Amino acid sequence: MRFPKRAAMIVPIAAALTLGMASTASAGTDCTDYSDNGGAKVTFKAYGEHLLVTDVFGDYHSAVGGIEIYGDGHYYYWNRDGKGTTRDVNLSITDGTSVIVNAFLGDWEGTPSGGISWNSNVVSNAQGVA
């Protein structure tokens, strides 16, 4: 008679442990940043690791998305297509990696960081997780 009581106690405990282990996968964290005047918007989408660089204003400046990938470096992506457009950059970042994004304005000079108005975002940045 003891065996069925033990079995009855072990099965629910094993099921609870299995469910607990199945739910430990971590979800990424999206984040968004704007340039100080709101003319550039950058959004990091954790699912699929996309960086969206949006030009909000028709101010004759490009929107620039800056991303720092922890352990990998800084990268800059330009949207030179004008007001109301969004450039979708498909990145490859290891799940769980921290990122910081910044939105800048800039005037393209032919290199990734040339022409960025560094003073266009001195107030904020946004942090996410791939």
Side-chain angles (χ1 to χ4, degrees), residues 7-94:
M9 289 175 49
I10 292 172
V11 172
I13 292 170
L17 289 173
T18 301
L19 289 174
M21 286 188 281
S23 65
T24 58
S26 62
T29 305
D30 297 345
C31 59
T32 299
D33 187 45
Y34 291 86
S35 61
D36 290 348
N37 75 346
K41 173 184 172 184
V42 176
T43 300
F44 174 74
K45 294 287 191 178
Y47 182 76
E49 298 96 34
H50 288 263
L51 188 70
L52 307 175
V53 183
T54 302
D55 191 336
V56 180
F57 296 156
D59 57 5
Y60 302 103
H61 298 291
S62 296
V64 184
I67 184 167
E68 178 183 355
I69 303 169
Y70 182 78
D72 191 21
H74 295 265
Y75 301 91
Y76 301 97
Y77 298 95
W78 290 70
N79 176 0
R80 297 181 286 159
D81 294 333
K83 176 184 177 181
T85 62
T86 299
R87 178 179 177 193
D88 183 347
V89 182
N90 189 1
L91 303 168
S92 181
I93 303 171
T94 303

Side-chain angles (χ1 to χ4, degrees), residues 68-125:
E68 178 183 355
I69 303 169
Y70 182 78
D72 191 21
H74 295 265
Y75 301 91
Y76 301 97
Y77 298 95
W78 290 70
N79 176 0
R80 297 181 286 159
D81 294 333
K83 176 184 177 181
T85 62
T86 299
R87 178 179 177 193
D88 183 347
V89 182
N90 189 1
L91 303 168
S92 181
I93 303 171
T94 303
D95 288 348
T97 302
S98 294
V99 298
I100 297 174
V101 298
N102 298 98
F104 298 100
L105 300 175
D107 298 312
W108 180 251
E109 292 181 355
T111 65
S113 61
I116 294 176
S117 174
W118 300 107
N119 292 330
S120 65
N121 189 339
V122 294
V123 175
S124 69
N125 63 33

